[in-house]
Amino acid sequence: NLSDIVSDEFTLNKLTVAPAMYLGSCRHNLPAYREDDSSHKLIFEQFVPKDLALKEEQEDFISHLTKIIESNLEKSELDVEFLAMQLNVSHSTLYRKVKGLTGLSITELVKKVRLHAAAKMLETSNMSVNEVADATGFSTPTYVRVNFKKEYGVSPSAYAKSKRI
């Protein structure tokens, strides 16, 4: 019994109230997961195997992770450490969750989200491949071209020409 170990009533109250207050403040500080933003749902559905039925918490996690990645695309420090800190989880927990839900590593997921954003930019703007590479946080335009072609089957410039009106 906890009261046998802790004799001071004040200390006992602090031990039982503090965790509840901490958990409440964490929930208060997190961005709302359930915003009605269908674009994020469409994005993360690309990365989750079709035959995997996700629980609502898992969908929320992937959606929130995708939002963090998208809102920090241009940052060079968008890595496992940064994402783990943003989500308040350990590196290993983050890796395990992402790998289990998507089959991708964190690096692969970030790359896919960046490529998806690059494709959207190429479709909806007149930006060059170099400008898109900078805007999406890729290190070089060559890296974008190689990975874009692997993902979409065409070069970024050919993709832009086919999608622009």
Side-chain angles (χ1 to χ4, degrees):
N1 188 342
L2 187 60
S3 59
D4 293 337
I5 298 169
V6 182
S7 59
D8 184 10
E9 185 67 29
F10 177 73
T11 306
L12 181 61
N13 285 339
K14 276 177 55 177
L15 287 173
T16 56
V17 172
M21 288 175 52
Y22 175 74
L23 289 173
S25 69
C26 286
R27 283 190 201 106
H28 182 278
N29 291 333
L30 287 175
Y33 285 138
R34 298 190 202 317
E35 293 177 18
D36 185 29
D37 189 353
S38 59
S39 68
H40 292 289
K41 188 167 181 104
L42 291 174
I43 291 169
F44 83 76
E45 284 177 352
Q46 294 178 21
F47 310 124
V48 176
K50 305 278 186 258
D51 58 344
L52 184 64
L54 293 181
K55 295 178 183 172
E56 191 171 344
E57 309 88 54
Q58 294 169 324
E59 285 185 9
D60 289 346
F61 174 79
I62 294 294
S63 179
H64 185 59
L65 176 60
T66 305
K67 287 178 187 179
I68 291 171
I69 294 169
E70 286 183 326
S71 61
N72 293 285
L73 279 178
E74 73 287 346
K75 293 185 179 179
S76 61
E77 66 270 5
L78 184 58
D79 58 7
V80 176
E81 186 175 328
F82 176 80
L83 293 171
M85 187 177 71
Q86 292 294 311
L87 292 166
N88 199 26
V89 297
S90 69
H91 300 128
S92 58
T93 299
L94 179 61
Y95 180 83
R96 191 174 57 251
K97 280 185 166 187
V98 171
K99 188 70 169 179
L101 293 173
T102 66
L104 302 170
S105 70
I106 306 294
T107 306
E108 292 169 327
L109 179 64
V110 169
K111 182 170 61 173
K112 283 189 174 280
V113 172
R114 282 182 163 157
L115 287 171
H116 178 81
K120 283 290 182 196
M121 287 179 189
L122 290 169
E123 286 177 26
T124 60
S125 73
N126 289 324
M127 295 172 75
S128 70
V129 176
N130 292 353
E131 293 169 326
V132 169
D134 286 341
T136 54
F138 284 108
S139 54
T140 64
T142 304
Y143 187 75
V144 174
R145 286 183 181 96
V146 169
N147 286 288
F148 196 93
K149 186 157 187 164
K150 284 181 190 175
E151 184 72 21
Y152 292 97
V154 295
S155 70
S157 52
Y159 181 86
K161 286 178 187 174
S162 71
K163 298 291 181 175
R164 289 182 189 154
I165 298 173

